[in-house]
Short mmCIF file of all heavy atoms in Angstrom, two decimals:
data_model
loop_
_atom_site.label_atom_id
_atom_site.label_comp_id
_atom_site.label_asym_id
_atom_site.label_seq_id
_atom_site.Cartn_x
_atom_site.Cartn_y
_atom_site.Cartn_z
N VAL A 85 36.38 -11.25 13.48
CA VAL A 85 36.47 -12.53 12.76
C VAL A 85 36.22 -13.69 13.70
O VAL A 85 35.59 -14.69 13.34
CB VAL A 85 37.84 -12.65 12.06
CG1 VAL A 85 37.97 -14.01 11.37
CG2 VAL A 85 38.02 -11.53 11.05
N ALA A 86 36.70 -13.58 14.95
CA ALA A 86 36.46 -14.65 15.93
C ALA A 86 34.97 -14.82 16.20
O ALA A 86 34.47 -15.96 16.30
CB ALA A 86 37.21 -14.33 17.22
N ALA A 87 34.24 -13.72 16.33
CA ALA A 87 32.79 -13.81 16.54
C ALA A 87 32.12 -14.49 15.36
O ALA A 87 31.21 -15.31 15.53
CB ALA A 87 32.22 -12.42 16.75
N TRP A 88 32.57 -14.17 14.15
CA TRP A 88 32.00 -14.80 12.96
C TRP A 88 32.29 -16.29 12.94
O TRP A 88 31.43 -17.10 12.60
CB TRP A 88 32.57 -14.11 11.72
CG TRP A 88 32.17 -14.77 10.43
CD1 TRP A 88 30.93 -14.75 9.85
CD2 TRP A 88 33.00 -15.54 9.57
NE1 TRP A 88 30.95 -15.47 8.67
CE2 TRP A 88 32.20 -15.95 8.48
CE3 TRP A 88 34.34 -15.90 9.61
CZ2 TRP A 88 32.71 -16.73 7.45
CZ3 TRP A 88 34.85 -16.68 8.58
CH2 TRP A 88 34.04 -17.08 7.52
N VAL A 89 33.51 -16.70 13.33
CA VAL A 89 33.85 -18.12 13.34
C VAL A 89 33.05 -18.86 14.40
O VAL A 89 32.60 -20.00 14.19
CB VAL A 89 35.37 -18.29 13.56
CG1 VAL A 89 35.72 -19.78 13.68
CG2 VAL A 89 36.15 -17.68 12.40
N PHE A 90 32.85 -18.24 15.57
CA PHE A 90 32.02 -18.88 16.60
C PHE A 90 30.59 -19.06 16.09
O PHE A 90 29.95 -20.09 16.38
CB PHE A 90 32.02 -18.04 17.88
CG PHE A 90 33.11 -18.40 18.84
CD1 PHE A 90 34.12 -17.49 19.16
CD2 PHE A 90 33.15 -19.66 19.43
CE1 PHE A 90 35.12 -17.83 20.05
CE2 PHE A 90 34.16 -20.00 20.32
CZ PHE A 90 35.15 -19.09 20.63
N ALA A 91 30.06 -18.07 15.36
CA ALA A 91 28.71 -18.21 14.80
C ALA A 91 28.68 -19.34 13.77
O ALA A 91 27.72 -20.13 13.72
CB ALA A 91 28.29 -16.89 14.15
N TRP A 92 29.72 -19.44 12.95
CA TRP A 92 29.81 -20.53 11.97
C TRP A 92 29.86 -21.88 12.69
O TRP A 92 29.18 -22.83 12.30
CB TRP A 92 31.06 -20.32 11.12
CG TRP A 92 31.24 -21.30 9.99
CD1 TRP A 92 30.41 -22.33 9.64
CD2 TRP A 92 32.31 -21.35 9.05
NE1 TRP A 92 30.89 -23.01 8.56
CE2 TRP A 92 32.07 -22.43 8.18
CE3 TRP A 92 33.47 -20.57 8.89
CZ2 TRP A 92 32.95 -22.75 7.13
CZ3 TRP A 92 34.34 -20.89 7.85
CH2 TRP A 92 34.08 -21.97 6.98
N LEU A 93 30.66 -21.96 13.76
CA LEU A 93 30.75 -23.21 14.52
C LEU A 93 29.41 -23.59 15.11
O LEU A 93 29.00 -24.76 15.07
CB LEU A 93 31.80 -23.03 15.63
CG LEU A 93 31.96 -24.19 16.62
CD1 LEU A 93 32.40 -25.45 15.90
CD2 LEU A 93 32.95 -23.81 17.71
N PHE A 94 28.69 -22.62 15.66
CA PHE A 94 27.38 -22.92 16.25
C PHE A 94 26.40 -23.41 15.20
O PHE A 94 25.67 -24.40 15.42
CB PHE A 94 26.84 -21.66 16.93
CG PHE A 94 25.42 -21.81 17.42
CD1 PHE A 94 25.11 -22.75 18.38
CD2 PHE A 94 24.41 -21.02 16.91
CE1 PHE A 94 23.80 -22.89 18.84
CE2 PHE A 94 23.11 -21.16 17.35
CZ PHE A 94 22.80 -22.10 18.32
N VAL A 95 26.35 -22.74 14.04
CA VAL A 95 25.43 -23.16 12.98
C VAL A 95 25.81 -24.54 12.45
O VAL A 95 24.93 -25.39 12.18
CB VAL A 95 25.44 -22.12 11.84
CG1 VAL A 95 24.70 -22.65 10.62
CG2 VAL A 95 24.81 -20.82 12.31
N GLU A 96 27.10 -24.82 12.34
CA GLU A 96 27.55 -26.14 11.89
C GLU A 96 27.12 -27.22 12.87
O GLU A 96 26.58 -28.27 12.47
CB GLU A 96 29.08 -26.12 11.76
CG GLU A 96 29.68 -27.43 11.29
CD GLU A 96 29.50 -27.70 9.81
OE1 GLU A 96 29.20 -26.74 9.06
OE2 GLU A 96 29.64 -28.87 9.41
N ARG A 97 27.32 -26.99 14.14
CA ARG A 97 26.93 -27.98 15.14
C ARG A 97 25.42 -28.13 15.22
O ARG A 97 24.90 -29.24 15.39
CB ARG A 97 27.48 -27.58 16.51
CG ARG A 97 29.00 -27.57 16.60
CD ARG A 97 29.48 -27.35 18.02
NE ARG A 97 29.08 -28.46 18.88
CZ ARG A 97 29.29 -28.48 20.20
NH1 ARG A 97 29.87 -27.45 20.80
NH2 ARG A 97 28.91 -29.52 20.92
N LEU A 98 24.69 -27.02 15.10
CA LEU A 98 23.23 -27.08 15.16
C LEU A 98 22.68 -27.85 13.97
O LEU A 98 21.75 -28.67 14.11
CB LEU A 98 22.66 -25.66 15.18
CG LEU A 98 21.13 -25.54 15.26
CD1 LEU A 98 20.60 -26.16 16.53
CD2 LEU A 98 20.70 -24.07 15.18
N SER A 99 23.22 -27.63 12.77
CA SER A 99 22.74 -28.33 11.58
C SER A 99 22.98 -29.83 11.71
O SER A 99 22.11 -30.64 11.36
CB SER A 99 23.45 -27.78 10.34
OG SER A 99 23.18 -26.41 10.16
N ARG A 100 24.15 -30.21 12.19
CA ARG A 100 24.44 -31.63 12.35
C ARG A 100 23.58 -32.26 13.45
O ARG A 100 23.16 -33.42 13.32
CB ARG A 100 25.92 -31.83 12.65
CG ARG A 100 26.84 -31.47 11.47
CD ARG A 100 28.29 -31.77 11.78
NE ARG A 100 29.14 -31.41 10.66
CZ ARG A 100 29.40 -32.21 9.63
NH1 ARG A 100 28.87 -33.43 9.60
NH2 ARG A 100 30.20 -31.82 8.67
N ALA A 101 23.31 -31.51 14.50
CA ALA A 101 22.45 -32.03 15.57
C ALA A 101 21.03 -32.24 15.06
O ALA A 101 20.38 -33.23 15.42
CB ALA A 101 22.47 -31.08 16.76
N MET A 102 20.53 -31.34 14.23
CA MET A 102 19.20 -31.53 13.64
C MET A 102 19.19 -32.71 12.70
O MET A 102 18.21 -33.47 12.63
CB MET A 102 18.75 -30.25 12.93
CG MET A 102 18.38 -29.12 13.87
SD MET A 102 17.57 -27.72 13.04
CE MET A 102 18.95 -27.08 12.09
N GLY A 103 20.29 -32.93 11.95
CA GLY A 103 20.36 -34.09 11.07
C GLY A 103 20.36 -35.41 11.82
O GLY A 103 19.84 -36.41 11.33
N ARG A 104 20.95 -35.42 13.02
CA ARG A 104 20.97 -36.65 13.83
C ARG A 104 19.71 -36.82 14.67
O ARG A 104 19.56 -37.82 15.37
CB ARG A 104 22.19 -36.63 14.76
CG ARG A 104 23.52 -36.71 14.04
CD ARG A 104 24.64 -36.96 15.04
NE ARG A 104 24.76 -35.87 15.99
CZ ARG A 104 25.61 -34.84 15.86
NH1 ARG A 104 26.39 -34.77 14.78
NH2 ARG A 104 25.67 -33.90 16.77
N GLY A 105 18.82 -35.82 14.66
CA GLY A 105 17.60 -35.91 15.45
C GLY A 105 17.77 -35.50 16.90
O GLY A 105 16.85 -35.69 17.70
#
Side-chain angles (χ1 to χ4, degrees):
V85 177
W88 174 72
V89 175
F90 270 115
W92 185 1
L93 175 62
F94 173 62
V95 169
E96 180 76 17
R97 296 188 65 185
L98 181 62
S99 299
R100 292 184 181 274
M102 287 191 291
R104 293 191 298 265

